[in-house]
Amino acid sequence: MHKLWASTYKEFLLLIRDMGGVAILFVMPLVLIITITLIQDSTFQTVKDIKIPILIVDKDHGDVAKTMLEGLEDSNSFEVIEKQTEEEAKNLVSKGEYQLAVIIPEKLTEDLHQKISNNVDGIMAKVMGEEADSLPKPDVENKEVKLYFDPATQQSFKSSVKNGIDKMISKIETQSIYKAFQEQISDNPEEAIFETENFITFTEILPKIEGRDVLPNSVQHNVPAWTLFAIFFIIVPLSINMVKEKSQGTFVRLRTNPVSYATVLGGKTILYLLVCLIQFVLMLLVGVYVFPAMGLPALDVSGRLPLLFVVALFSGLAAIGLGLLLGTLAKTQEQSAPFGATFVVILAAVGGVWVPVFIMPKFMQVLSNISPMNWGLNAFYDVFLRQASLMDIVPEITLLFIFFILTTIIAIVYNEKKNAV
Amino acid sequence: MISIQHISKKYKGADNYSVLDLDLHIAEREIFGLLGPNGAGKTTLISMLCALIKPTSGTFSIDGLTYKENKRKLKQLIGIVPQEYALYPSLTAFENLQYFGSMYGLKGKELHDKITNFLEHLGLGKFANKRIETFSGGMKRRVNLIASILHEPKVLFLDEPTVGVDVQSKNVIIQFLQELNAKGTTIIYTSHHLNEAENFCTKVAIIDHGKIIVEGEPAHLIHTNEGAHSLEDVFLSLTGKALRDHA
Ligand SMILES: Nc1ncnc2c1ncn2[C@@H]1O[C@H](COP(=O)(O)OP(=O)(O)OP(=O)(O)O)[C@@H](O)[C@H]1O
Ligand SMILES: [Mg+2]
């Protein structure tokens, strides 16, 4: 026990002797979380408040094109600029000057009306029991609205634009169909027989605590994700610390001392776990006090502090286990530092820190289950967003703990094997 | 005290044995010098005796104990002063010694007093609370030495403890080791300073290509080698004048 405390104290001294390192360890995660939240919060607002200029080429010059133009303008997301030719619009987009060009095809209005009136005539004839019109109907080709995207445009923006335009087109189609029926049935085109507004709309029902809505916002999502990322980054300084002992010769001395490798690792575990927890406290403080001062939503930790610390503690252990293993396997800093940093980024990506797991390809979703960062993230979300109790997060923290034990045992066994005499 | 039988070591990937079928017996309270050109196998031999590397074959025991059966006990019994400094540069001399002393189970006032005494004794009293990275080579050597003897080992291994230090530091170190020996510590040490070894050691072995060429009391070796007036003459006549660079 005395040896363990002496080891912990030594690690503490080593850490505080490198004040620059300590500052980086504590300040960079805070900078990271503030930056990410600011970016995400502002992109969120961009979509709402700032208009993205897009190009429109109207080859139709009819009602449908007019409705589409109005729809795009009304959406408040776009500033619509008309161009005369498809070629010009296409060039501007491919040069990256605009994100998007929408090409409305020729005779869209005319053909849509034709197609609909063909269909409506057919139906009316059936309903009235008449023989189908003997007059041959002109065939109508399907129409395409072309979208040119800047190749650099993000996929998520593309899909939301596509969805929006798709919705607009079906609305126009539906309304035209209603109108055609109305013309057939009633003589007064002004008379409203059909309600053309959407019948089904949706509202988002949010979980409530004590009668008030819990609004998940970018802060509630970001703080856990990036805190976890920062916690796992501990493997970089930790593995460097261990590799340094090898290159300084102090590890050789330790090997001649009557002390087990487990005790040496134990001292590191205790100290770096403390570092993780301090990091975590700082992150929470930033979320709770600094964010509101910067105009960001505040982090809401009310009533869940104890559970949050439990999750942070076990996530920290998992991260440290990984760091101990890496530090044991690596021979040089050139091996451990770049590998450690890249590996954390991979674990974060797979674990769902950047992109939610549910939109990943199936294969990656399976892989995601074995990223300790995913377990930690789920536990954090359970506590932050799903009002979980301790029992709810037991599976996740158990996995994190097993991960710590396993990595540490592998490190110890590897060391024993390598240095067996 | 130390008994080595047919010990050999061939490093992974190496072409030759670094230590080959070596037999050696070192009596208690001896100051035993392992001398030999660069690459002779001195560090390799000491490393095996300190359980840092595994012999390819052969056995040895120290004070009747083997690492297989009494690893902890044996480690507590011996002290090793490595060829390279093995200290934390950003910690002070005191902190380094406190840590390594703790690893031998020492603590509290006993440890504190020991550290203070040894530092004082080796002329480092004033520098106890200075970081190792600010120390000169000679000062580091002395701290490196103290870190290995706080637990008062019965057997002390030193791998070139006087390399890169000035005459003053060297004399302090040698004198200190003689005091330790007088109190009962068996000392095994390697060196390239043949004059130093000639005066300091009670017994020496000259080792080359992983084998002991000759072994005995320095005076005796000089005496029995025709035309030799010093240990250096003996050394050169036995190991030749060619350079020993190979890896
Ligand atoms: N880790 C290693 N892997 C492969 N070969 C090694 C290793 N360490 C030492 N050797 C080789 O073993 C031989 C003996 O080396 P050793 O370090 O024991 O010599 P030494 O007598 O201590 O030399 P010096 O006086 O230079 O310290 C040398 O040929 C060396 O190249
Ligand atoms: Mg050597």
Side-chain angles (χ1 to χ4, degrees):
Chain A
M1 209 54 192
H2 169 64
K3 290 180 187 179
L4 180 62
W5 286 123
S7 302
T8 311
Y9 180 61
K10 174 212 68 181
E11 297 297 341
F12 168 72
L13 290 175
L14 285 177
L15 191 72
I16 59 161
R17 287 299 145 77
D18 180 15
M19 268 340 253
V22 174
I24 291 171
L25 210 55
F26 289 124
V27 175
M28 287 320 280
L30 301 182
V31 174
L32 175 77
I33 201 166
I34 291 173
T35 315
I36 301 271
T37 312
L38 274 176
I39 291 172
Q40 296 215 337
D41 205 65
S42 68
T43 36
F44 195 59
Q45 280 169 4
T46 311
V47 178
K48 277 193 304 202
D49 307 336
I50 302 170
K51 295 191 174 185
I52 303 167
I54 60 166
L55 301 178
I56 293 279
V57 178
D58 180 6
K59 295 186 185 168
D60 175 43
H61 303 295
D63 288 345
V64 173
K66 216 174 119 203
T67 318
M68 280 183 72
L69 275 168
E70 281 166 11
L72 285 171
E73 264 168 0
D74 286 350
S75 74
N76 273 331
S77 312
F78 303 113
E79 180 193 344
V80 178
I81 300 165
E82 280 211 53
K83 289 284 168 206
Q84 288 316 309
T85 68
E86 182 172 342
E87 203 53 34
E88 188 189 359
K90 193 172 137 184
N91 279 337
L92 284 169
V93 170
S94 66
K95 274 190 219 147
E97 289 180 30
Y98 293 89
Q99 300 274 309
L100 167 65
V102 182
I103 316 295
I104 303 173
E106 283 165 32
K107 299 204 326 198
L108 179 62
T109 310
E110 196 178 310
D111 287 0
L112 180 67
H113 286 315
Q114 186 59 55
K115 173 107 188 171
I116 287 169
S117 83
N118 287 357
N119 289 348
V120 170
D121 285 353
I123 293 170
M124 291 304 284
K126 275 258 158 51
V127 172
M128 302 298 181
E130 292 169 9
E131 278 295 303
D133 221 327
S134 48
L135 282 177
K137 299 266 154 66
D139 245 358
V140 187
E141 266 180 62
N142 283 344
K143 290 286 170 193
E144 273 181 340
V145 173
K146 287 191 211 158
L147 303 177
Y148 289 102
F149 282 104
D150 173 8
T153 301
Q154 298 204 345
Q155 198 58 44
S156 57
F157 175 73
K158 276 193 197 173
S159 15
S160 69
V161 167
K162 279 190 217 154
N163 275 337
I165 290 182
D166 202 33
K167 230 168 125 185
M168 207 149 56
I169 290 174
S170 30
K171 197 168 170 186
I172 293 170
E173 276 194 42
T174 327
Q175 286 181 347
S176 307
I177 293 169
Y178 278 130
K179 222 160 124 199
F181 272 110
Q182 186 153 357
E183 278 165 9
Q184 289 271 353
I185 296 165
S186 157
D187 298 329
N188 179 6
E190 299 302 311
E191 187 187 352
I193 304 177
F194 300 106
E195 177 79 59
T196 59
E197 282 309 308
N198 278 351
F199 174 62
I200 300 172
T201 59
F202 53 84
T203 35
E204 187 182 349
I205 312 293
L206 297 164
K208 286 175 194 255
I209 0 172
E210 294 155 12
R212 75 192 158 89
D213 286 344
V214 195
L215 272 179
N217 53 39
S218 55
V219 169
Q220 289 313 77
H221 271 109
N222 275 341
V223 173
W226 295 100
T227 301
L228 210 59
F229 187 68
I231 287 178
F232 268 82
F233 239 92
I234 203 85
I235 76 168
V236 177
L238 176 54
S239 59
I240 288 179
N241 159 298
M242 294 176 68
V243 172
K244 248 192 195 162
E245 282 192 329
K246 293 183 202 175
S247 60
Q248 279 166 355
T250 42
F251 184 63
V252 168
R253 187 185 281 285
L254 275 175
R255 281 180 49 211
T256 67
N257 290 353
V259 60
S260 68
Y261 194 52
T263 307
V264 175
L265 296 189
K268 295 180 197 297
T269 304
I270 294 175
L271 187 87
Y272 281 85
L273 193 57
L274 271 174
V275 169
C276 283
L277 292 178
I278 294 173
Q279 249 179 10
F280 183 64
V281 170
L282 291 176
M283 298 282 238
L284 291 187
L285 288 177
V286 165
V288 174
Y289 296 107
V290 180
F291 281 0
M294 296 173 70
L296 292 166
L299 182 72
D300 182 9
V301 293
S302 51
R304 26 195 163 192
L305 272 180
L307 279 189
L308 289 179
F309 272 97
V310 170
V311 179
L313 185 90
F314 283 93
S315 305
L317 277 177
I320 288 166
L322 199 56
L324 295 177
L325 181 57
L326 178 59
T328 302
L329 299 180
K331 291 199 178 79
T332 62
Q333 278 187 44
E334 285 72 18
Q335 291 176 355
S336 71
F339 179 84
T342 323
F343 194 59
V344 174
V345 173
I346 293 171
L347 280 184
V350 174
V353 167
W354 270 283
V355 178
V357 173
F358 65 85
I359 65 165
M360 291 181 189
K362 260 274 155 324
F363 172 68
M364 293 311 278
Q365 290 195 14
V366 175
L367 211 60
S368 174
N369 289 326
I370 55 165
S371 167
M373 238 190 264
N374 181 253
W375 310 331
L377 194 61
N378 274 335
F380 267 133
Y381 281 161
D382 280 348
V383 177
F384 260 118
L385 305 170
R386 299 183 192 120
Q387 319 305 320
S389 68
L390 181 61
M391 283 317 289
D392 297 325
I393 57 169
V394 162
E396 283 120 350
I397 58 178
T398 308
L399 279 173
L400 288 167
F401 190 64
I402 291 175
F403 185 83
F404 163 68
I405 296 291
L406 263 180
T407 43
T408 311
I409 288 177
I410 295 173
I412 291 172
V413 169
Y414 177 86
N415 183 65
E416 290 286 315
K417 274 244 145 68
K418 187 158 178 256
N419 298 320
V421 284
Chain B
M1 193 68 187
I2 299 178
S3 161
I4 305 170
Q5 291 95 25
H6 304 295
I7 205 170
S8 296
K9 176 68 189 181
K10 188 175 171 187
Y11 286 102
K12 221 187 239 166
D15 300 329
N16 300 309
Y17 278 87
S18 300
V19 168
L20 185 59
D21 198 23
L22 189 145
D23 281 288
L24 187 63
H25 295 271
I26 298 171
E28 196 169 347
R29 306 194 72 157
E30 201 91 69
I31 299 182
F32 195 95
L34 275 173
L35 313 174
N38 290 132
K42 305 180 293 292
T43 301
T44 305
L45 179 58
I46 285 200
S47 300
M48 287 190 284
L49 297 178
C50 301
L52 287 169
I53 56 174
K54 190 181 170 143
T56 311
S57 62
T59 56
F60 64 91
S61 68
I62 301 172
D63 204 19
L65 304 173
T66 61
Y67 285 104
K68 274 212 176 66
E69 281 147 29
N70 295 291
K71 196 162 159 196
R72 273 280 162 113
K73 209 166 160 195
L74 197 44
K75 282 184 170 181
Q76 193 77 33
L77 195 84
I78 62 167
I80 303 104
V81 183
Q83 187 166 358
E84 322 286 338
Y85 310 119
L87 303 163
Y88 295 99
S90 63
L91 302 193
T92 66
F94 192 91
E95 289 162 348
N96 266 290
L97 295 173
Q98 193 170 37
Y99 174 59
F100 288 115
S102 303
M103 292 304 108
Y104 284 101
L106 302 168
K107 57 181 130 179
K109 189 166 160 19
E110 185 201 358
L111 177 58
H112 186 279
D113 291 350
K114 266 191 169 168
I115 295 172
T116 320
N117 285 341
F118 280 128
L119 282 173
E120 205 62 56
H121 200 95
L122 283 169
L124 293 166
K126 278 187 296 187
F127 306 102
N129 295 316
K130 293 263 188 303
R131 295 187 190 192
I132 293 296
E133 60 202 2
T134 65
F135 280 24
S136 72
M139 292 159 80
K140 284 184 202 165
R141 281 262 168 251
R142 280 176 272 161
V143 182
N144 208 31
L145 171 59
I146 300 174
S148 313
I149 48 111
L150 286 168
H151 63 296
E152 298 172 22
K154 265 178 103 171
V155 182
L156 181 61
F157 296 93
L158 303 105
D159 201 353
E160 305 193 25
T162 54
V163 77
V165 302
D166 60 19
V167 184
Q168 288 88 340
S169 267
K170 193 167 91 179
N171 289 342
V172 170
I173 290 172
I174 292 294
Q175 199 193 337
F176 181 73
L177 291 176
Q178 271 165 339
E179 288 167 26
L180 282 180
N181 180 248
K183 282 187 228 155
T185 311
T186 308
I187 291 176
I188 294 95
Y189 115 127
T190 76
S191 181
H192 291 284
H193 299 298
L194 295 168
N195 285 335
E196 178 187 297
E198 188 177 325
N199 299 316
F200 175 49
C201 297
T202 54
K203 228 174 171 186
V204 297
I206 293 176
I207 164 173
D208 200 9
H209 302 298
K211 284 181 175 168
I212 290 176
I213 309 174
V214 70
E215 185 189 339
E217 289 166 25
H220 182 73
L221 290 181
I222 297 167
H223 198 72
T224 50
N225 254 270
E226 227 171 295
H229 300 289
S230 66
L231 207 50
E232 184 165 328
D233 294 337
V234 178
F235 188 86
L236 283 176
S237 79
L238 290 172
T239 59
K241 289 191 173 161
L243 285 175
R244 297 311 178 87
D245 299 335
H246 50 80

